[in-house]
Amino acid sequence: MSVIQFKEANCKNCYKCIRSCPVNAIAFKNDQAEIIHDECMLCGNCLTVCPQNAKSVNSDVEKVKKFIQKREKVYVSLAPSFISAFDHDEKWVYYALKKLGFTHIEGTANGAYQVSRQYESLLKQKKMKNIITSCCSSIILLIEKYYPQLLDQLAPVVSPMIAHAKMLRETYGQRIRVVFIGPCISKKEEFNDLQNGNQIDAVVTFDDLDKWFEEEGLYESNEIIDGLKNFDTSARIYPVPGGILKTIDRKYKKNYRSISVDGVERCMDVLQSIVEGDIENYLIEMSSCKGGCLGGPCMKHVPGGFLTARERLLNYAKRTGIQTDSGLTNTVMALTKVDLKKKFVDRSKKLDVPSEAVIQGILNSIGKFSKDKELNCGACGYHSCREKATAVFHGKAQVHMCLPYMRERAESISNIIINYTPYAIFALDEGLKIQELNKSAQQMFNLGARNMNGKSISEILPCDEFEQVLEGSESVYDEKYVYESYGLVVKQSIIKVKQHNTVIVIINDITKEEAQRQKILESRSQNIDIAQKIMEKQMTVAQEIASLLGETTAETKVALTKLKKSIMSEMGEL
């Protein structure tokens, strides 16, 4: 799992992180950015440029709190850039760390001082073609992953963090806990390097420490502690560009030309120059962050920006009475038993190179059939269309990550829909003046090819409801309206779009349907009349039949009664 994590819900497809990544170690899948851990150099650029705060750095604070709660001996190696990260002096920071429960605090500058001594030894030996400083762990990752042919020109020396951790353990015991506190993300990867022998137990960033101070209410206190024993050495100038070079004695630099380079892009430019050219006898101080460690991705910046941060550090480096070269501490003296050698490994990945046919096929899929269509605008996060196509081939990018293509496609689809819909469509401004209209509107209202833009809708359509909708808040949907001057019966929707100060009018011509409906109504009315007449006639016939049946029945009854009496009379006589 990468040290930097993306918050899935926050990613807004702006591709800014891809654009800022110097090594293209960010993939975009399922509309979500993700770090490619094996390719990442942990420079932190993506963290600092994200406008949605969609990225976070894994925190070790809870781990450190557990160390302290268990009453373990927890020692701090404090990066010298702390003086520029907090609006307090070293005595207050020392006090605050003590209040958090740390056993002992020292400056990483103690380790940096001895790393510089190792560089002096390399300069004196003059065995290396060039010497690239190995203090910045992001630069180490950059060279190991992307410039492995230059591994033999990396100074084979551990970083100040590891050097100081080894010195602390040698002085105070191997069982202590060592926590590095600094502005760097890549230190979180470095302390997990098995080659470093588990010298560091946790890495806390200045951002994390700031939140911790805030939680404990320490900013409300002005207490300090005097007598910072074994705090640090004059190598506290390390964080500024050229700071490492300033800690090396001039007499050792005569065999090599010295140069300081900061910022990933400039470092990559120099490294590429070394690969391509016959460059030698350079001592090159490299820092992936612009402004050195003072520009670290997890640097808690105080008001005043880089200039103030630099001034604070330089003033701190000039101060005496804390620790100087003439009074080396017990920690520094422990160096005699500490091995500061370092070996670097080739971590590069050999990616397949897509053929020209494959690249062109990917470009064709988004409408780039010719060179003039390759705009190389960088909106997708890549420097060129072909670079992005290569990223698609490697599964890092999605083919639709092309703003000009998607915009052109969206406009094309919307234009097709608007121009070919049978409905008349008008777009009106806040003054009910026509901004746009489609072909159906021109045909429906016999406008021909006249330019109606800027004309009032009332000049074409006499309807009071436009004003009512504009002044009110309710839109009107599918309301029947008759435009007598055009001989039209329509269903009309008047939609107010507040956020754009626009009124959209959509008109459906239902004149033919209405005429057909009237015919059907007339036909039904006629049928009802016929049915009514038939029913009345049937009732008359029924009544006549009933009347005739009634008379006949009565006569029959009389006759039968007479017959019955006659028969009964004859039987009586017998």
Side-chain angles (χ1 to χ4, degrees):
M1 183 174 68
S2 178
V3 171
I4 304 172
Q5 297 298 311
F6 286 77
K7 302 171 188 175
E8 185 171 348
N10 286 356
C11 190
K12 302 298 182 182
N13 301 9
C14 69
Y15 312 135
K16 199 169 184 179
C17 56
I18 297 176
R19 205 153 37 246
S20 73
C21 182
V23 292
N24 292 335
I26 298 177
F28 203 82
K29 301 176 181 178
N30 301 319
D31 294 326
Q32 177 66 44
E34 62 180 53
I35 300 288
I36 306 174
H37 179 71
D38 292 342
E39 299 179 25
C40 180
M41 61 175 289
L42 292 172
C43 63
N45 280 358
C46 60
L47 188 75
T48 57
V49 302
C50 180
Q52 299 297 328
N53 294 318
K55 303 166 194 66
S56 62
V57 179
N58 294 339
S59 175
D60 285 345
V61 169
E62 292 304 317
K63 182 199 293 189
V64 176
K65 286 181 178 179
K66 289 179 181 178
F67 293 158
I68 295 173
Q69 289 167 2
K70 293 178 182 178
R71 299 187 181 278
E72 297 186 65
K73 293 181 178 180
V74 187
Y75 285 61
V76 170
S77 176
L78 183 63
S81 52
F82 80 90
I83 199 67
S84 300
F86 298 94
D87 197 15
H88 295 80
D89 63 15
E90 64 275 9
K91 293 181 180 180
W92 183 90
V93 175
Y94 187 90
Y95 151 79
L97 290 170
K98 278 289 189 179
K99 290 292 288 185
L100 292 179
F102 289 104
T103 306
H104 181 65
I105 302 99
E106 284 189 16
T108 315
N110 284 340
Y113 178 88
Q114 295 305 324
V115 167
S116 289
R117 306 290 75 77
Q118 298 296 309
Y119 291 160
E120 288 176 351
S121 177
L122 293 172
L123 290 167
K124 184 179 179 180
Q125 294 171 18
K126 200 185 177 182
K127 292 181 178 179
M128 297 178 66
K129 183 177 181 179
N130 295 290
I131 301 175
I132 303 171
T133 59
S134 55
C135 295
C136 178
S137 44
S138 288
I139 291 299
I140 292 174
L141 288 174
L142 175 65
I143 294 175
E144 287 184 329
K145 293 181 178 183
Y146 295 96
Y147 300 93
Q149 62 270 55
L150 301 182
L151 287 176
D152 61 346
Q153 298 184 50
L154 256 179
V157 183
V158 297
S159 70
M161 178 184 79
I162 300 300
H164 191 217
K166 288 186 174 185
M167 292 156 63
L168 286 171
R169 291 186 184 279
E170 188 63 33
T171 303
Y172 301 105
Q174 295 297 322
R175 299 185 65 180
I176 66 171
R177 297 286 191 180
V178 179
V179 176
F180 174 78
I181 301 177
C184 186
I185 295 174
S186 59
K187 293 298 182 187
K188 288 178 174 286
E189 180 82 2
E190 183 183 1
F191 94 85
N192 284 321
D193 187 349
L194 296 178
Q195 190 184 153
N196 292 325
N198 298 319
Q199 299 297 322
I200 300 290
D201 294 287
V203 170
V204 174
T205 67
F206 287 150
D207 283 339
D208 286 338
L209 185 61
D210 172 56
K211 294 173 185 175
W212 197 356
F213 283 165
E214 190 73 41
E215 289 173 5
E216 299 297 329
L218 294 175
Y219 285 126
E220 300 170 9
S221 172
N222 291 318
E223 295 185 43
I224 60 172
I225 297 177
D226 288 319
L228 309 185
K229 184 180 179 182
N230 297 344
F231 195 65
D232 66 5
T233 72
S234 61
R236 60 184 82 102
I237 199 172
Y238 252 56
V240 297
I244 298 174
L245 300 179
K246 290 178 182 177
T247 63
I248 298 174
D249 196 309
R250 288 184 179 180
K251 65 183 179 183
Y252 297 108
K253 291 195 242 181
K254 61 183 180 181
N255 293 329
Y256 290 83
R257 287 168 286 183
S258 301
I259 185 173
S260 173
V261 184
D262 59 319
V264 181
E265 291 79 8
R266 181 58 59 82
C267 289
M268 292 178 69
D269 183 58
V270 170
L271 291 171
Q272 191 61 38
S273 296
I274 296 174
V275 169
E276 295 175 354
D278 188 19
I279 298 174
E280 58 181 284
N281 295 330
Y282 269 95
L283 168 61
I284 307 172
E285 175 193 316
M286 281 196 178
S287 172
S288 70
C289 296
K290 293 179 180 178
C293 298
L294 297 183
C298 291
M299 187 78 172
K300 179 187 175 294
H301 294 287
V302 295
F306 177 74
L307 290 178
T308 299
R310 184 176 183 276
E311 184 177 357
R312 287 170 64 89
L313 184 81
L314 293 178
N315 289 337
Y316 171 60
K318 291 175 183 177
R319 287 204 289 270
T320 58
I322 299 174
Q323 182 62 53
T324 63
D325 298 347
S326 60
L328 299 180
T329 64
N330 291 331
T331 308
V332 176
M333 292 304 292
L335 176 68
T336 56
K337 299 179 181 179
V338 173
D339 181 11
L340 299 185
K341 293 185 178 65
K342 170 76 174 179
K343 291 183 179 180
F344 303 102
V345 296
D346 183 346
R347 304 178 193 273
S348 61
K349 292 174 63 176
K350 308 301 181 185
L351 296 176
D352 294 335
V353 179
S355 66
E356 176 60 26
V358 170
I359 291 291
Q360 194 58 53
I362 294 171
L363 293 173
N364 290 351
S365 68
I366 52 175
K368 298 182 184 297
F369 294 97
S370 59
K371 282 289 183 181
D372 63 301
K373 289 290 186 179
E374 296 178 27
L375 303 179
N376 303 323
C377 64
C380 61
Y382 295 91
H383 296 298
S384 68
C385 296
R386 302 181 79 79
E387 185 179 326
K388 181 249 184 176
T390 302
V392 171
F393 173 78
H394 289 139
K396 291 183 180 181
Q398 295 173 320
V399 70
H400 66 262
M401 289 167 50
C402 178
L403 184 59
Y405 167 71
M406 293 303 291
R407 179 178 177 177
E408 184 177 311
R409 184 170 180 267
E411 289 177 348
S412 175
I413 292 173
S414 64
N415 287 338
I416 289 172
I417 293 171
I418 290 172
N419 285 323
Y420 286 91
T421 182
Y423 298 163
I425 299 176
F426 295 88
L428 313 178
D429 63 13
E430 63 272 19
L432 295 180
K433 292 182 179 179
I434 299 171
Q435 299 300 297
E436 285 189 53
L437 72 164
N438 66 349
K439 291 181 180 178
S440 293
Q442 291 174 319
Q443 294 170 356
M444 191 179 295
F445 297 101
N446 303 318
L447 300 177
R450 283 185 290 163
N451 182 11
M452 303 304 298
N453 290 350
K455 303 254 184 204
S456 175
I457 189 68
S458 61
E459 295 182 26
I460 304 172
L461 306 179
C463 179
D464 295 336
E465 288 192 349
F466 297 136
E467 289 279 357
Q468 294 171 10
V469 171
L470 182 66
E471 294 173 359
S473 58
E474 295 295 325
S475 298
V476 174
Y477 296 93
D478 287 336
E479 187 173 86
K480 186 185 290 186
Y481 197 84
V482 178
Y483 288 107
E484 294 181 357
S485 59
Y486 294 101
L488 296 176
V489 181
V490 301
K491 275 190 177 180
Q492 183 169 268
S493 296
I494 307 172
I495 305 165
K496 183 177 181 180
V497 186
K498 294 181 181 179
Q499 60 268 37
H500 296 294
N501 293 321
T502 302
V503 174
I504 304 297
V505 181
I506 303 174
I507 299 175
N508 180 17
D509 181 3
I510 60 169
T511 305
K512 291 182 180 179
E513 290 86 344
E514 190 67 13
Q516 183 66 27
R517 191 176 71 85
Q518 288 297 330
K519 286 183 180 179
I520 292 172
L521 287 175
E522 290 175 3
S523 176
R524 286 178 179 175
S525 178
Q526 291 173 0
N527 289 337
I528 290 172
D529 290 343
I530 293 171
Q532 182 66 34
K533 291 177 180 179
I534 292 172
M535 188 165 49
E536 290 175 354
K537 187 174 182 179
Q538 289 293 331
M539 289 297 295
T540 301
V541 171
Q543 289 174 354
E544 292 176 353
I545 292 172
S547 176
L548 291 171
L549 286 174
E551 291 177 1
T552 305
T553 301
E555 291 174 355
T556 302
K557 182 178 181 181
V558 171
L560 290 174
T561 302
K562 287 181 179 181
L563 179 61
K564 177 182 175 182
K565 288 180 178 181
S566 176
I567 294 171
M568 290 180 66
S569 175
E570 291 177 355
M571 289 178 65
E573 292 177 358
L574 294 174

